[in-house]
Amino acid sequence: MLELYQWELSQYSEKVRLILDFKGLDYRKIEVTPGIGQVELFRLTGQKQVPVLKDRNRYIADSTEIAKYLDLEYPDRPIIPQDPKKRGLTLLIEEWADESIGIKGRKALFAAISQDQNFRKSLLPTSTPDIFKSLVGGVPTDLLTVLGFGVGYSPDIIQSAIASLKQDLEAVTLLLADSPYLTGDEPTLADLAVASLSILLKFPSGPYLDLPASIRGKGLPIFSENIDYEPFFTWRDRLYAQFRKPLISTTPPTGSAPTSIQID
């Protein structure tokens, strides 16, 4: 079985999960705890960032490289068209989505979690121990603001990202106005990338992520509650209903649960 080293809230991990589901491939999730878990991931794969896909004895890092690998090794239900024009457009939109919706979405979410400790706790996987949830929720807002400056998330940069995201969502909505998918009548990597990378703006309404049910369909109000973007999120949720497999249970029986990397 394929194994996906991931973080549940990572949009790039979600991008790979959606691709795997679209192709009908079975896989096992291995949750990598940010920080200490990345040390063990590096020991195993030479790569600290998720997602990383393991197929037999091979490790593939980066969501784009994973997408290309899966289309080559598992060609059923292709996601990268053979037609030169559609292929070029698909790869162009996918790369744009990675650099635009993916990165800017993180910045917008950081602003929200910096201001609301309950929201911070609600974003943790349901399997997270209560003691860790308490630690995360107890981080002072001022400290998070300082940390934000440290990683380049100043208030001005965050506001710029939000303004740019508004334009991005408007552009995608226009592209979908007279077409069911971004590059034509069939879904491609472009659609799967844009849809999955948008989860931090508004979570899918279905049980697709290992997060509390109370935040399904919720998100950053500036996007999730704005009627101008309703057509986009309606399209996104319809795509999820078509291709994303819902979670059977967030608390599977012992032996079938996603594995967490542990370091003694």
Side-chain angles (χ1 to χ4, degrees):
M1 180 182 289
L2 296 166
E3 294 183 335
L4 178 63
Y5 291 82
Q6 60 134 49
W7 182 42
E8 190 71 12
L9 200 58
S10 161
Q11 319 107 292
Y12 299 96
S13 295
E14 175 62 10
K15 178 179 161 188
V16 175
R17 294 190 294 256
L18 181 54
I19 292 170
L20 289 166
D21 283 352
F22 179 84
K23 284 183 166 289
L25 298 172
D26 292 329
Y27 64 98
R28 184 169 71 103
K29 296 192 297 185
I30 300 178
E31 191 74 5
V32 177
T33 304
I36 58 172
Q38 292 172 287
V39 176
E40 178 70 357
L41 180 64
F42 183 78
R43 184 186 71 80
L44 291 169
T45 70
Q47 168 69 33
K48 291 184 179 179
Q49 301 299 318
V50 295
V52 173
L53 183 72
K54 181 183 180 184
D55 187 9
R56 297 177 288 272
N57 62 346
R58 183 171 181 180
Y59 293 92
I60 306 94
D62 184 81
S63 63
T64 299
E65 294 306 313
I66 292 171
K68 293 177 180 178
Y69 173 84
L70 289 172
D71 230 30
L72 182 64
E73 296 294 324
Y74 302 90
D76 289 347
R77 302 199 78 179
I79 56 175
I80 303 176
Q82 292 301 312
D83 175 78
K85 187 172 183 179
K86 287 188 176 181
R87 184 183 184 89
L89 184 57
T90 293
L91 295 175
L92 187 66
I93 293 176
E94 188 261 356
E95 182 179 14
W96 164 80
D98 275 358
E99 299 299 319
S100 178
I101 298 176
I103 292 176
K104 296 170 192 172
R106 287 178 175 177
K107 294 176 181 179
L109 182 70
F110 183 84
I113 65 175
S114 298
Q115 300 166 13
D116 189 335
Q117 66 172 352
N118 291 326
F119 187 46
R120 290 200 294 274
K121 291 166 64 176
S122 71
L123 295 180
L124 295 172
T126 55
S127 57
T128 303
D130 289 340
I131 187 171
F132 188 67
K133 289 182 180 179
S134 298
L135 289 173
V136 170
V139 177
T141 297
D142 290 346
L143 176 58
L144 283 173
T145 301
V146 172
L147 292 174
F149 274 102
V151 296
Y153 287 7
S154 68
D156 286 345
I157 288 176
I158 289 173
Q159 288 305 312
S160 176
I162 290 173
S164 185
L165 278 168
K166 291 179 178 179
Q167 179 174 294
D168 294 339
L169 291 183
E170 179 184 358
V172 173
T173 302
L174 290 172
L175 289 175
L176 292 167
D178 59 356
S179 176
Y181 301 106
L182 289 168
T183 62
D185 294 330
E186 298 293 333
T188 68
L189 176 59
D191 301 282
L192 303 179
V194 169
S196 57
L197 293 169
S198 71
I199 62 168
L200 298 187
L201 307 182
K202 182 179 181 181
F203 297 111
S205 55
Y208 305 110
L209 301 172
D210 182 20
L211 297 171
S214 60
I215 65 172
R216 292 174 190 164
K218 305 288 181 62
L220 308 180
I222 196 169
F223 300 111
S224 63
E225 298 177 9
N226 190 322
I227 60 173
D228 291 339
Y229 310 129
E230 186 175 332
F232 169 77
F233 290 115
T234 298
W235 167 83
R236 194 274 311 272
D237 286 350
R238 184 172 66 249
L239 187 144
Y240 262 65
Q242 286 178 287
F243 305 118
R244 184 76 162 92
K245 293 180 181 177
L247 298 176
I248 296 174
S249 172
T250 55
T251 55
T254 302
S256 62
T259 304
S260 296
I261 291 179
Q262 299 293 334
I263 297 180
D264 294 332

